[in-house]
Amino acid sequence: MNRRRLPSLLVPWLLWAPVHVAWAQTPAGERSPELRAETCSVEGLMDSIRRGMRSKSPAYQRYLRELLKESAVTLPEAQLRAAFERETEPTMVEHLAAALAAKTDRGEGPETLRLVAKRALEDADPAVRAAATRALRRTSAEELTGDMYQRLVRDASPEVRMEAATNLVEDNQFVYAGAHGPASDVAVDAAVASSDPRVTARILGNISTAPISAQSANRLHALVDSDDARVRAAAVTALGGVPATEMERARRTLVAMYRDEPDVEVRAAILQGIARLGFASAIPELRALRGVDPRLTAEADAWIRVLGTGLQEWSLLLREKQRMGQAH
């Protein structure tokens, strides 16, 4: 996967690179310095970054991470891998893992990325597992690491589980722009595999389900019967964005679910899902449901008004609903 390079970040590393000063004999017998640049050292760069991480500036720390990622393209892979395997400090593990992931995204073999995934899954220190997991964010890890995310969301550490959920959400949004079916299916699979309701809700409530497969859609339908209201609300939200081939079934599920659902927040999510699936055609269904729960009559009316504007873009409908709410 191609990524935007930041060549300007290499300049400070060139300044840090070890320089050998030799003394050459001049014809007049005087000695003058001759500069000979040596190969960049992984250890030298790591020592510089380790010192720089003492800075209290988050921006500078991010800069150092990007510096290592950019430098990784030219650093010897064997040295980088060895440094990663030796490192035990979580912050430095994260920096090295991100550098290795960057090498994979820029043409190196997937074995390098799998080395990072192995540590995210198997390291004895949960802080290191979480750090290695964070380093895989916004990379091609989903495509190259098999069932890694289904395993990470079942990790014994809540931090690791939530880092994995955040990776799936951010990859879906920023790497695949919500348009890559296999990536959305990986996210759904992980959400279903998780037994942590917060993780399942985090994933399903924030990914695009427009390109999911029929099998993933079936899994979402199963989750609307969850005992946890957070999971039901997230599954409803995900069903609201399914592809055209799944829309009619999803509408029937949500309409039937609304009358028996006891949780007001889940019911509010159902109203939004019905609106999103049907746009203006959902108005009759919303009118039929508006009296079921007096607490949400105003919410149903708000959706009826905004759908009546005829807007055909979901983001515009959401913005208009927010504007109408502020006006009242």
Side-chain angles (χ1 to χ4, degrees):
M1 183 176 300
N2 292 327
R3 299 210 177 256
R4 182 170 59 87
R5 294 176 182 253
L6 304 172
S8 62
L9 292 175
L10 293 175
V11 175
W13 170 226
L14 294 176
L15 296 176
W16 290 347
V19 175
H20 178 69
V21 180
W23 293 94
Q25 197 74 21
T26 66
E30 297 177 356
R31 300 176 74 199
S32 59
E34 177 184 343
L35 302 181
R36 299 173 187 166
E38 296 180 348
T39 304
C40 295
S41 159
V42 172
E43 287 302 321
L45 179 56
M46 290 304 297
D47 288 343
S48 297
I49 291 178
R50 205 181 300 274
R51 289 193 299 270
M53 290 305 294
R54 297 170 189 162
S55 167
K56 296 181 180 180
S57 168
Y60 185 57
Q61 292 182 7
R62 288 194 299 271
Y63 165 82
L64 291 173
R65 173 178 168 131
E66 291 299 326
L67 172 62
L68 179 56
K69 286 171 64 176
E70 291 298 326
S71 301
V73 178
T74 57
L75 290 171
E77 182 172 359
Q79 291 183 27
L80 200 58
R81 288 170 63 119
F84 172 70
E85 291 178 320
R86 288 194 306 268
E87 186 61 55
T88 58
E89 201 284 314
T91 300
M92 299 308 295
V93 168
E94 182 176 349
H95 283 302
L96 284 163
L100 288 168
K103 287 183 79 71
T104 299
D105 278 351
R106 294 179 184 183
E108 298 287 349
E111 296 78 16
T112 300
L113 192 62
R114 290 172 189 150
L115 178 68
V116 179
K118 186 176 190 299
R119 195 149 189 198
L121 289 165
E122 299 177 5
D123 197 278
D125 185 350
V128 169
R129 296 200 303 276
T133 300
R134 274 193 303 275
L136 296 173
R137 193 165 297 163
R138 303 193 191 190
T139 71
S140 56
E142 289 183 35
E143 302 171 48
L144 300 172
T145 53
D147 65 348
M148 177 187 71
Y149 278 108
Q150 292 184 51
R151 296 170 63 188
L152 284 174
V153 296
R154 296 194 297 266
D155 192 277
S157 166
E159 181 185 8
V160 174
R161 297 197 297 267
M162 195 53 70
E163 292 291 356
T166 301
N167 282 15
L168 289 166
V169 170
E170 293 200 11
D171 289 358
N172 190 269
Q173 294 175 351
F174 299 108
V175 177
Y176 303 106
H180 187 51
S184 292
D185 287 338
V186 166
V188 172
D189 288 346
V192 173
S194 172
S195 58
D196 184 337
R198 297 176 310 140
V199 169
T200 300
R202 169 91 169 109
I203 297 170
L204 295 183
N206 294 281
I207 63 167
S208 168
T209 51
I212 62 172
S213 66
Q215 185 177 24
S216 289
N218 288 337
R219 290 173 174 166
L220 294 179
H221 281 275
L223 285 177
V224 301
D225 292 326
S226 170
D227 292 335
D228 193 284
R230 291 167 294 182
V231 172
R232 294 199 303 276
V236 164
T237 298
L239 278 176
V242 294
T245 54
E246 298 290 336
M247 284 183 177
E248 183 56 35
R249 180 188 174 196
R251 285 175 70 173
R252 290 197 305 268
T253 294
L254 296 187
V255 170
M257 180 181 177
Y258 189 82
R259 296 185 181 278
D260 297 325
E261 173 57 49
D263 187 274
V264 66
E265 292 186 5
V266 178
R267 272 184 163 165
I270 292 172
L271 291 176
Q272 177 171 308
I274 292 171
R276 186 175 185 182
L277 288 165
F279 281 62
S281 68
I283 290 176
E285 289 170 331
L286 293 170
R287 284 179 176 154
L289 295 174
R290 65 183 298 277
V292 172
D293 188 339
R295 297 170 296 176
L296 290 171
T297 298
E299 179 71 3
D301 287 342
W303 279 116
I304 290 168
R305 285 196 304 272
V306 76
L307 293 175
T309 63
L311 292 170
Q312 296 299 307
E313 175 66 39
W314 179 242
S315 62
L316 296 179
L317 282 169
L318 287 176
R319 191 180 307 167
E320 180 62 13
K321 182 173 181 291
Q322 183 180 28
R323 187 195 67 78
M324 286 182 176
Q326 292 171 345
H328 288 77

